[in-house]
PDB file of all heavy atoms in Angstrom:
ATOM      1  N   LEU A 323       6.975  19.072   8.330  1.00 96.00           N
ATOM      2  CA  LEU A 323       5.599  18.967   8.731  1.00 96.00           C
ATOM      3  C   LEU A 323       4.729  18.457   7.541  1.00 96.00           C
ATOM      4  O   LEU A 323       3.950  17.567   7.784  1.00 96.00           O
ATOM      5  CB  LEU A 323       5.086  20.351   9.184  1.00 96.00           C
ATOM      6  CG  LEU A 323       5.605  20.837  10.570  1.00 96.00           C
ATOM      7  CD1 LEU A 323       4.920  22.155  10.891  1.00 96.00           C
ATOM      8  CD2 LEU A 323       5.271  19.829  11.691  1.00 96.00           C
ATOM      9  N   GLU A 324       4.952  19.070   6.363  1.00 94.00           N
ATOM     10  CA  GLU A 324       4.145  18.675   5.239  1.00 94.00           C
ATOM     11  C   GLU A 324       4.352  17.236   4.883  1.00 94.00           C
ATOM     12  O   GLU A 324       3.456  16.512   4.391  1.00 94.00           O
ATOM     13  CB  GLU A 324       4.379  19.631   4.095  1.00 94.00           C
ATOM     14  CG  GLU A 324       3.924  20.999   4.411  1.00 94.00           C
ATOM     15  CD  GLU A 324       3.810  21.947   3.254  1.00 94.00           C
ATOM     16  OE1 GLU A 324       3.867  21.525   2.117  1.00 94.00           O
ATOM     17  OE2 GLU A 324       3.594  23.137   3.475  1.00 94.00           O
ATOM     18  N   ALA A 325       5.637  16.814   4.988  1.00 94.00           N
ATOM     19  CA  ALA A 325       5.948  15.403   4.620  1.00 94.00           C
ATOM     20  C   ALA A 325       5.377  14.433   5.610  1.00 94.00           C
ATOM     21  O   ALA A 325       5.142  13.229   5.316  1.00 94.00           O
ATOM     22  CB  ALA A 325       7.410  15.203   4.595  1.00 94.00           C
ATOM     23  N   MET A 326       4.957  14.966   6.796  1.00 95.00           N
ATOM     24  CA  MET A 326       4.433  14.011   7.769  1.00 95.00           C
ATOM     25  C   MET A 326       2.938  13.802   7.653  1.00 95.00           C
ATOM     26  O   MET A 326       2.334  12.909   8.270  1.00 95.00           O
ATOM     27  CB  MET A 326       4.820  14.512   9.180  1.00 95.00           C
ATOM     28  CG  MET A 326       4.497  13.489  10.213  1.00 95.00           C
ATOM     29  SD  MET A 326       5.465  13.617  11.697  1.00 95.00           S
ATOM     30  CE  MET A 326       7.068  14.085  11.011  1.00 95.00           C
ATOM     31  N   MET A 327       2.258  14.615   6.891  1.00 94.00           N
ATOM     32  CA  MET A 327       0.784  14.516   6.698  1.00 94.00           C
ATOM     33  C   MET A 327       0.426  13.272   5.920  1.00 94.00           C
ATOM     34  O   MET A 327       1.231  12.751   5.088  1.00 94.00           O
ATOM     35  CB  MET A 327       0.208  15.698   5.895  1.00 94.00           C
ATOM     36  CG  MET A 327       0.481  17.025   6.552  1.00 94.00           C
ATOM     37  SD  MET A 327      -0.072  18.323   5.435  1.00 94.00           S
ATOM     38  CE  MET A 327       0.664  19.745   6.239  1.00 94.00           C
ATOM     39  N   ASP A 328      -0.795  12.753   6.092  1.00 89.00           N
ATOM     40  CA  ASP A 328      -1.311  11.742   5.189  1.00 89.00           C
ATOM     41  C   ASP A 328      -1.458  12.363   3.760  1.00 89.00           C
ATOM     42  O   ASP A 328      -1.835  13.539   3.706  1.00 89.00           O
ATOM     43  CB  ASP A 328      -2.685  11.227   5.667  1.00 89.00           C
ATOM     44  CG  ASP A 328      -2.496  10.091   6.637  1.00 89.00           C
ATOM     45  OD1 ASP A 328      -1.419   9.511   6.709  1.00 89.00           O
ATOM     46  OD2 ASP A 328      -3.433   9.829   7.432  1.00 89.00           O
ATOM     47  N   HIS A 329      -1.270  11.540   2.754  1.00 82.00           N
ATOM     48  CA  HIS A 329      -1.259  12.111   1.444  1.00 82.00           C
ATOM     49  C   HIS A 329      -2.576  12.849   1.053  1.00 82.00           C
ATOM     50  O   HIS A 329      -2.592  13.911   0.482  1.00 82.00           O
ATOM     51  CB  HIS A 329      -0.884  11.016   0.418  1.00 82.00           C
ATOM     52  CG  HIS A 329       0.512  10.547   0.627  1.00 82.00           C
ATOM     53  ND1 HIS A 329       1.617  11.421   0.922  1.00 82.00           N
ATOM     54  CD2 HIS A 329       1.053   9.257   0.636  1.00 82.00           C
ATOM     55  CE1 HIS A 329       2.702  10.682   1.058  1.00 82.00           C
ATOM     56  NE2 HIS A 329       2.389   9.443   0.946  1.00 82.00           N
ATOM     57  N   GLU A 330      -3.642  12.113   1.337  1.00 77.00           N
ATOM     58  CA  GLU A 330      -4.980  12.685   0.937  1.00 77.00           C
ATOM     59  C   GLU A 330      -5.221  14.003   1.630  1.00 77.00           C
ATOM     60  O   GLU A 330      -5.660  14.918   1.037  1.00 77.00           O
ATOM     61  CB  GLU A 330      -6.122  11.754   1.260  1.00 77.00           C
ATOM     62  CG  GLU A 330      -5.728  10.299   1.456  1.00 77.00           C
ATOM     63  CD  GLU A 330      -5.965   9.900   2.904  1.00 77.00           C
ATOM     64  OE1 GLU A 330      -6.994  10.304   3.500  1.00 77.00           O
ATOM     65  OE2 GLU A 330      -5.108   9.116   3.449  1.00 77.00           O
ATOM     66  N   ILE A 331      -4.765  14.043   2.903  1.00 77.00           N
ATOM     67  CA  ILE A 331      -4.972  15.268   3.677  1.00 77.00           C
ATOM     68  C   ILE A 331      -4.109  16.341   3.123  1.00 77.00           C
ATOM     69  O   ILE A 331      -4.517  17.489   3.072  1.00 77.00           O
ATOM     70  CB  ILE A 331      -4.710  15.009   5.154  1.00 77.00           C
ATOM     71  CG1 ILE A 331      -5.772  14.135   5.728  1.00 77.00           C
ATOM     72  CG2 ILE A 331      -4.484  16.255   5.960  1.00 77.00           C
ATOM     73  CD1 ILE A 331      -5.562  13.613   7.110  1.00 77.00           C
ATOM     74  N   ARG A 332      -2.971  15.968   2.706  1.00 79.00           N
ATOM     75  CA  ARG A 332      -2.110  17.000   2.092  1.00 79.00           C
ATOM     76  C   ARG A 332      -2.658  17.512   0.904  1.00 79.00           C
ATOM     77  O   ARG A 332      -2.544  18.765   0.588  1.00 79.00           O
ATOM     78  CB  ARG A 332      -0.682  16.381   1.800  1.00 79.00           C
ATOM     79  CG  ARG A 332       0.399  17.384   1.971  1.00 79.00           C
ATOM     80  CD  ARG A 332       1.733  16.949   1.419  1.00 79.00           C
ATOM     81  NE  ARG A 332       2.404  18.077   0.893  1.00 79.00           N
ATOM     82  CZ  ARG A 332       3.560  18.034   0.315  1.00 79.00           C
ATOM     83  NH1 ARG A 332       4.164  16.830   0.220  1.00 79.00           N
ATOM     84  NH2 ARG A 332       4.138  19.106  -0.144  1.00 79.00           N
ATOM     85  N   ARG A 333      -3.305  16.698   0.052  1.00 74.00           N
ATOM     86  CA  ARG A 333      -4.023  17.280  -1.109  1.00 74.00           C
ATOM     87  C   ARG A 333      -5.042  18.192  -0.684  1.00 74.00           C
ATOM     88  O   ARG A 333      -5.167  19.346  -1.244  1.00 74.00           O
ATOM     89  CB  ARG A 333      -4.660  16.093  -1.896  1.00 74.00           C
ATOM     90  CG  ARG A 333      -3.713  15.350  -2.838  1.00 74.00           C
ATOM     91  CD  ARG A 333      -4.527  14.861  -4.076  1.00 74.00           C
ATOM     92  NE  ARG A 333      -5.909  14.565  -3.798  1.00 74.00           N
ATOM     93  CZ  ARG A 333      -6.355  13.475  -3.261  1.00 74.00           C
ATOM     94  NH1 ARG A 333      -5.570  12.512  -2.980  1.00 74.00           N
ATOM     95  NH2 ARG A 333      -7.653  13.264  -3.075  1.00 74.00           N
ATOM     96  N   HIS A 334      -5.871  17.819   0.277  1.00 69.00           N
ATOM     97  CA  HIS A 334      -6.847  18.721   0.857  1.00 69.00           C
ATOM     98  C   HIS A 334      -6.295  20.119   1.182  1.00 69.00           C
ATOM     99  O   HIS A 334      -6.819  21.174   0.858  1.00 69.00           O
ATOM    100  CB  HIS A 334      -7.390  18.129   2.107  1.00 69.00           C
ATOM    101  CG  HIS A 334      -8.852  17.913   2.106  1.00 69.00           C
ATOM    102  ND1 HIS A 334      -9.427  16.708   1.992  1.00 69.00           N
ATOM    103  CD2 HIS A 334      -9.864  18.787   2.259  1.00 69.00           C
ATOM    104  CE1 HIS A 334     -10.786  16.848   1.995  1.00 69.00           C
ATOM    105  NE2 HIS A 334     -11.040  18.099   2.135  1.00 69.00           N
TER     106      HIS A 334
END
Side-chain angles (χ1 to χ4, degrees):
Chain A
L323 288 181
E324 295 193 9
M326 192 155 320
M327 301 176 191
D328 274 340
H329 295 317
E330 340 113 39
I331 287 172
R332 213 193 145 179
R333 275 213 332 274
H334 236 107

